[in-house]
Amino acid sequence: MSSVLHAPAGFAQRQAGHGPLAGFSRRHLILIVCFSVITPLTYALFGIAFGERVHAGGMLGEIAKYFVIGCATLCSAIAADNLLRHRLGPAWSLATAMLGASIVSTALIELAMYALIGPLGWNTGYMMETKGFTSAERILLEFVGIARWALVLVALYELLESKRRADEELHGARMTALAAQQNLVEGELRAMQARVDPELLFNSLVAIDDGYAQGVEQGQQRLDGLIRFLRAALPSDSADTSTVAREQEVVEAYVALLGQRAPDAAELHLRVDPDARGEQMPSMLLLPLVRWALAGQSVRHLRMRIQRQAESLAIEVESDASKDAAAPLDEIASVRQRLTQLYPQGARLSIASRLGPWRATLEIPRQQLAAATVSSR
């Protein structure tokens, strides 16, 4: 029995995306906006503190400049992460991203300087700062400054992505642990299913012997009943998981086997929705409830109904046992324990035995929804 886990959410989203920018999300956009606003605002506050004048046009130009740097750097880092990280390793992919972002940002800023910022007169302060530099020296100086900020942004990006990867790995480890726990529980249930109650088996053999004493046909019928129960109760290697139909067969064979030993045994009234018979469910959940309902010596009628709802299976087991009879709690305790392990937050079991009929109501998530992260073999 093995577990099949879904990939972590972030990894699945990246795989589902297309292109080098797969994985770009709101957190990256927030980082770009914060960087493009806070950085020039900090420079402006320092300038005001030293008595310098701050022009609105120049401030807008700085915001646009750092927005270009932020977009180019984050997009380059994401593209390098998607395309180069698995080939070059994290260090070289980030270095490539920083270099590519610096080149692209410098080219875009120079283009904007000549096409937009210069004609609008927003570059006055910048031209004063670079007075005396040749064009090549000015571009080189710009490149170095942009590379410095690209290095800072790449480092921030890597910190964010490292946290995301750590969260995904932790989530994957938790899902693996959950899968292992559920597989262990399923293995225990199937092992329990493989164990036939020795007392039941002994009493059935005695009933078969008595039947043969009464006649060959009577003995053969009782033997067929025992064989039917054994075939239904023993786990099958051909089936990955149990189904409602299989558990229904176990219950029917069990009640029929009890009826061979006592003429006044309980009569089973079973109602199963046709569309619920093929639903998957854990083994050995119905039979303990039936044993509990039949524990009273006065039981003459046993009713069970199984319905398929939108997201769950609703199971009701009811008997006409006397309200004064002592209800065995070990069967119910074992069922509750299995439900806690299999469905930590998604199953409900309610028991009523003191007022009116004995009734057990069980509601479990439908297996294809509850076990979306775990499947057998």
Side-chain angles (χ1 to χ4, degrees), residues 85-270:
R85 190 182 188 92
H86 62 286
R87 299 177 183 175
L88 304 179
W92 284 106
S93 66
L94 292 177
T96 303
M98 187 192 72
L99 179 61
S102 302
I103 294 174
V104 171
S105 298
T106 303
L108 291 176
I109 290 173
E110 286 298 316
L111 179 63
M113 189 73 68
Y114 286 106
L116 180 65
I117 297 176
L120 292 177
W122 291 353
N123 64 337
T124 304
Y126 175 75
M127 296 304 295
M128 292 181 62
E129 291 177 1
T130 58
K131 185 178 181 180
F133 291 95
T134 64
S135 296
E137 291 174 339
R138 182 177 57 80
I139 293 175
L140 180 60
L141 181 64
E142 186 75 31
F143 176 82
V144 172
I146 291 174
R148 179 186 59 189
W149 286 116
L151 178 61
V152 173
L153 283 176
V154 165
L156 289 176
Y157 167 82
E158 184 62 19
L159 287 175
L160 288 176
E161 292 303 299
S162 296
K163 182 180 181 303
R164 178 188 61 80
R165 295 188 192 101
D167 291 341
E168 290 180 0
E169 290 177 1
L170 179 60
H171 175 72
R174 288 176 176 172
M175 295 304 297
T176 301
L178 177 61
Q181 182 185 22
Q182 290 186 328
N183 278 340
L184 178 61
V185 173
E186 283 290 345
E188 292 174 352
L189 295 181
R190 296 182 73 85
M192 291 179 60
Q193 190 180 18
R195 293 197 299 265
V196 178
D197 185 358
E199 183 179 357
L200 175 65
L201 181 59
F202 176 78
N203 291 335
S204 299
L205 292 176
V206 171
I208 292 172
D209 187 59
D210 292 340
Y212 275 110
Q214 299 174 19
V216 175
E217 184 177 353
Q218 183 73 9
Q220 187 62 42
Q221 289 179 352
R222 296 186 178 185
L223 178 60
D224 292 340
L226 177 60
I227 294 174
R228 176 193 177 191
F229 174 74
L230 292 176
R231 285 177 174 173
L234 294 178
S236 173
D237 292 336
S238 62
D240 290 340
T241 58
S242 187
T243 62
V244 170
R246 182 174 175 81
E247 296 304 300
Q248 173 188 344
E249 175 64 18
V250 173
V251 170
E252 291 178 337
Y254 177 78
V255 174
L257 195 61
L258 294 180
Q260 292 181 356
R261 307 201 312 260
D264 56 350
E267 181 180 355
L268 176 63
H269 304 274
L270 186 61

Side-chain angles (χ1 to χ4, degrees), residues 38-105:
I38 293 176
T39 304
L41 181 61
T42 303
Y43 278 126
L45 291 177
F46 272 105
I48 293 174
F50 285 99
E52 298 178 1
R53 297 182 60 183
V54 177
H55 300 280
M59 188 68 179
L60 292 176
E62 289 293 302
I63 291 176
K65 169 186 172 180
Y66 286 105
F67 184 80
V68 170
I69 296 174
C71 288
T73 303
L74 268 294
C75 291
S76 297
I78 293 173
D81 211 7
N82 289 333
L83 302 177
L84 302 177
R85 190 182 188 92
H86 62 286
R87 299 177 183 175
L88 304 179
W92 284 106
S93 66
L94 292 177
T96 303
M98 187 192 72
L99 179 61
S102 302
I103 294 174
V104 171
S105 298

Side-chain angles (χ1 to χ4, degrees), residues 268-288:
L268 176 63
H269 304 274
L270 186 61
R271 293 180 59 188
V272 179
D273 290 352
D275 54 356
R277 290 177 54 83
E279 290 290 326
Q280 296 181 357
M281 67 174 296
S283 60
M284 293 300 290
L285 281 184
L286 288 185
L287 190 57

